[in-house]
Amino acid sequence: MSDIRVGLVGYGTAGAFFHAPLIHATPGLALAAVVTRNPGRQAEVAAKYGATGVNDVDALWERCDLVVVASPNRTHVSAATAALAHGLPVVVDKPLARTAEEGRELVRLARERGLMLTVFHNRRWDGDYRTVRRLAGEGRLGEVLRFESRFERWRPEPKGGWRESGGPDEVGGLLYDLGSHLVDQALQLLGPATQVYCESDVRRAGVAADDDTFVALAHAGGARSHLWMSSMAAMSGPRFRVLGSAGAFVKYGMDVQEERLRAGAAPGTPGFGDDEESRWGRLGTEHDRRTVLTEPGAYLDFYRGVEAALREGAAPPVDPESAVDTLAVIEAARLSVTRGIVVHLS
């Protein structure tokens, strides 16, 4: 059976460090073409993956069976729409779109055409988050009352680029970037949100988009999520603190997979997603706690799911409607900041 030919739109951070190596490591997929106008990057994709570098998306349609959109956020909708219009299934990096309505239009178009559409919410396969879901599913926390989740970094000097310098039209800032992950994880763990409150600031000179943001969610089931994302955290809080009626789980440190991908490690190698024992989390109470092995991170499972969806008709690894739900919460968070209110979701 021949490999599914993949066309990748964009070879910046998302394309180079996440999508290209994961696609390359997934049996049944082959990176065939990459849209990048940079000659050095075109040479790199040819040398590393045997892929052809092309200058624009129109060069993909005859070269691939699947399109992966990993270009700047503002281009996600237009690139995905073009691919679907040409009869090709699509993976879109998060966020799916700028607004929930734009996301719904993409879902509608994919359904009309009978094509797979899915969204790269890879943090569902973080080892620490998989551990939280396992503990909650096994009832070891009792009823989850509060979910605290952080992506905090210390970057007092801006790196530049559209994520920091662009306004809302660029779909930049931490609420769209890291917030897409944090909100998605909260909704997957605790179900729909009914109320959203947000505090959002720009802390660094020369930055136009939010770089220090907090989101609070009230979930339909009664639990609450407190979500922090910041580039100005000189000392980080716990990655997760989950409080339940029977105990708590606390975990420090980020999932290891991004660090290893950036270092050039092959995602299919043994131990790629294994956490260091020194960073395992703790479960229990103030007077009775134990260390808990972190579940292995499994980013490859996303593209394995894509391959199964295309070959076997399986459900896509991420339901695009769940990505629309995340966008609705992000929109409500932006409205909360603008009006200084708690926003109620219908």
Side-chain angles (χ1 to χ4, degrees), residues 88-99:
L88 294 168
V90 182
V91 172
V92 185
D93 205 319
K94 59 78 199 166
L96 173 61
R98 183 175 61 89
T99 67

Side-chain angles (χ1 to χ4, degrees), residues 165-188:
S165 61
D169 290 343
E170 294 282 341
V171 200
L174 291 188
L175 181 57
Y176 273 114
D177 185 19
L178 304 180
S180 292
H181 291 308
L182 297 176
V183 171
D184 177 71
Q185 288 180 335
L187 298 183
Q188 291 301 301

Side-chain angles (χ1 to χ4, degrees), residues 17 46-47 63 81 89 120 145 206 209 212 226 234 308 328 339:
F17 293 123
R63 299 174 184 267
T81 299
F120 189 62
L145 306 175
D212 187 19
H226 291 173
R339 299 186 179 180

Side-chain angles (χ1 to χ4, degrees), residues 128 236-240 250-254 275 279-282:
D128 45 19
S236 298
R239 172 68 186 89
F240 290 115
V250 179
K251 171 76 168 68
Y252 283 83
M254 295 294 295
D275 198 14
R279 303 201 303 184
W280 291 356
R282 294 170 299 157

Side-chain angles (χ1 to χ4, degrees), residues 163-245:
R163 284 186 174 85
E164 295 181 336
S165 61
D169 290 343
E170 294 282 341
V171 200
L174 291 188
L175 181 57
Y176 273 114
D177 185 19
L178 304 180
S180 292
H181 291 308
L182 297 176
V183 171
D184 177 71
Q185 288 180 335
L187 298 183
Q188 291 301 301
L189 181 69
L190 297 172
T194 58
Q195 297 177 21
V196 182
Y197 169 74
C198 182
E199 301 169 0
S200 187
D201 293 286
V202 179
R203 300 295 191 185
R204 297 171 296 170
V207 172
D210 69 288
D211 59 3
D212 187 19
T213 296
F214 167 75
V215 178
L217 307 179
H219 295 269
R224 294 186 182 271
S225 292
H226 291 173
L227 314 173
W228 289 265
M229 58 220 76
S230 180
S231 297
M232 287 298 293
M235 291 188 182
S236 298
R239 172 68 186 89
F240 290 115
R241 190 170 81 125
V242 189
L243 305 181
S245 61

Side-chain angles (χ1 to χ4, degrees), residues 72-323:
N73 291 350
R74 70 179 185 278
T75 67
H76 285 187
V77 171
S78 59
T81 299
L84 292 169
H86 281 83
L88 294 168
V90 182
V91 172
V92 185
D93 205 319
K94 59 78 199 166
L96 173 61
R98 183 175 61 89
T99 67
E101 184 55 35
E102 289 180 350
R104 291 187 192 100
E105 283 300 307
L106 282 178
V107 173
R108 180 191 59 78
L109 178 60
R111 285 181 174 168
E112 285 181 354
R113 303 253 170 183
L115 297 168
M116 185 203 72
L117 171 66
T118 191
V119 185
F120 189 62
H121 274 297
N122 60 303
R123 295 292 181 174
R124 295 187 188 184
W125 288 270
D126 278 0
D128 45 19
Y129 180 66
R130 296 182 72 212
T131 304
V132 169
R133 295 205 69 173
R134 176 175 63 81
L135 294 174
E138 291 173 351
R140 298 177 69 183
L141 296 163
E143 178 188 358
V144 175
L145 306 175
R146 188 163 79 230
F147 175 63
E148 298 178 5
S149 178
R150 293 171 173 84
F151 276 174
E152 295 179 324
R153 298 164 173 168
W154 177 234
R155 292 179 178 170
E157 297 299 324
K159 296 175 65 177
W162 60 267
R163 284 186 174 85
E164 295 181 336
S165 61
D169 290 343
E170 294 282 341
V171 200
L174 291 188
L175 181 57
Y176 273 114
D177 185 19
L178 304 180
S180 292
H181 291 308
L182 297 176
V183 171
D184 177 71
Q185 288 180 335
L187 298 183
Q188 291 301 301
L189 181 69
L190 297 172
T194 58
Q195 297 177 21
V196 182
Y197 169 74
C198 182
E199 301 169 0
S200 187
D201 293 286
V202 179
R203 300 295 191 185
R204 297 171 296 170
V207 172
D210 69 288
D211 59 3
D212 187 19
T213 296
F214 167 75
V215 178
L217 307 179
H219 295 269
R224 294 186 182 271
S225 292
H226 291 173
L227 314 173
W228 289 265
M229 58 220 76
S230 180
S231 297
M232 287 298 293
M235 291 188 182
S236 298
R239 172 68 186 89
F240 290 115
R241 190 170 81 125
V242 189
L243 305 181
S245 61
F249 176 72
V250 179
K251 171 76 168 68
Y252 283 83
M254 295 294 295
D255 176 83
V256 298
Q257 294 173 96
E258 176 176 353
E259 177 184 347
R260 290 173 182 167
L261 285 169
R262 287 178 178 271
T269 55
F272 173 81
D274 292 350
D275 198 14
E276 299 172 8
E277 185 174 353
S278 61
R279 303 201 303 184
W280 291 356
R282 294 170 299 157
L283 171 71
T285 67
E286 192 66 33
H287 304 292
D288 180 17
R289 65 184 74 178
R290 64 203 69 92
T291 301
V292 175
L293 168 74
T294 306
E295 291 287 311
Y299 286 173
L300 268 180
D301 282 359
F302 175 85
Y303 273 110
R304 289 171 178 149
V306 169
E307 197 266 350
L310 295 178
R311 290 203 192 276
E312 304 166 16
V318 172
D319 183 344
E321 289 194 356
S322 69

